[in-house]
Amino acid sequence: MQYELKYVSEIKFGPAYYSLTVAGKKVPNFVYGFTRSELQNGRYLAIEEWLTTDYQKGPITRVAIFDLENKLVTRLATVNKGFVGSFKLKNNIFTYNKTYHGNGKVDESAIDWNLITQWSDAYL
């Protein structure tokens, strides 16, 4: 396994969150939900990244996609008051759900995999 999640804590009345280690080195500045998917035979890891653990402000999340082979990451648009999950890559289209528990709404988002070009060092 090229990555590891380690339990950190949990949100009051909410889910647990984790730190993420890629290739033995901790990814700084963020914590992660348990929702994740390995894509393209394990080369990529799509995971729910949390931007806050503050119960009053959150959830504020987004999709982080790690290129485990090259130690790179790209991050998609922020989702306020919602969680992301159900990550899939099929026919070069990456899809995921945005779930808003406050109103019971679920939106599906899709992006052409070739348009994901904003990759940066996973450890910055």
Side-chain angles (χ1 to χ4, degrees):
M1 181 186 303
Q2 296 182 45
Y3 70 92
E4 180 180 12
L5 289 173
K6 290 186 181 179
Y7 175 85
V8 174
S9 190
E10 56 191 63
I11 301 296
K12 179 181 175 184
F13 306 116
Y17 55 92
Y18 304 80
S19 65
L20 175 65
T21 302
V22 174
K25 191 172 178 184
K26 186 177 179 215
V27 177
N29 304 320
F30 298 104
V31 293
Y32 298 86
F34 195 72
T35 304
R36 66 198 185 283
S37 291
E38 293 180 20
L39 309 170
Q40 291 190 350
N41 297 317
R43 175 172 175 182
Y44 297 97
L45 170 68
I47 191 166
E48 178 184 63
E49 185 171 74
W50 292 16
L51 283 73
T52 184
T53 58
D54 185 318
Y55 174 76
Q56 298 297 321
K57 293 180 184 176
I60 303 172
T61 65
R62 64 183 170 196
V63 178
I65 304 171
F66 288 85
D67 178 338
L68 299 173
E69 187 175 296
N70 294 307
K71 316 303 183 283
L72 299 172
V73 64
T74 189
R75 293 174 167 101
L76 304 184
T78 299
V79 177
N80 289 307
K81 301 294 183 187
F83 293 98
V84 295
S86 299
F87 312 116
K88 295 179 182 104
L89 180 59
K90 185 175 180 180
N91 298 326
N92 236 25
I93 301 296
F94 177 73
T95 60
Y96 65 99
N97 287 343
K98 297 181 274 190
T99 302
Y100 303 92
H101 292 293
N103 62 13
K105 185 177 174 186
V106 177
D107 290 334
E108 184 177 70
S109 293
I111 184 168
D112 184 318
W113 188 256
N114 295 320
L115 296 178
I116 300 175
T117 59
Q118 299 278 327
W119 296 93
S120 61
D121 187 312
Y123 305 115
L124 297 179

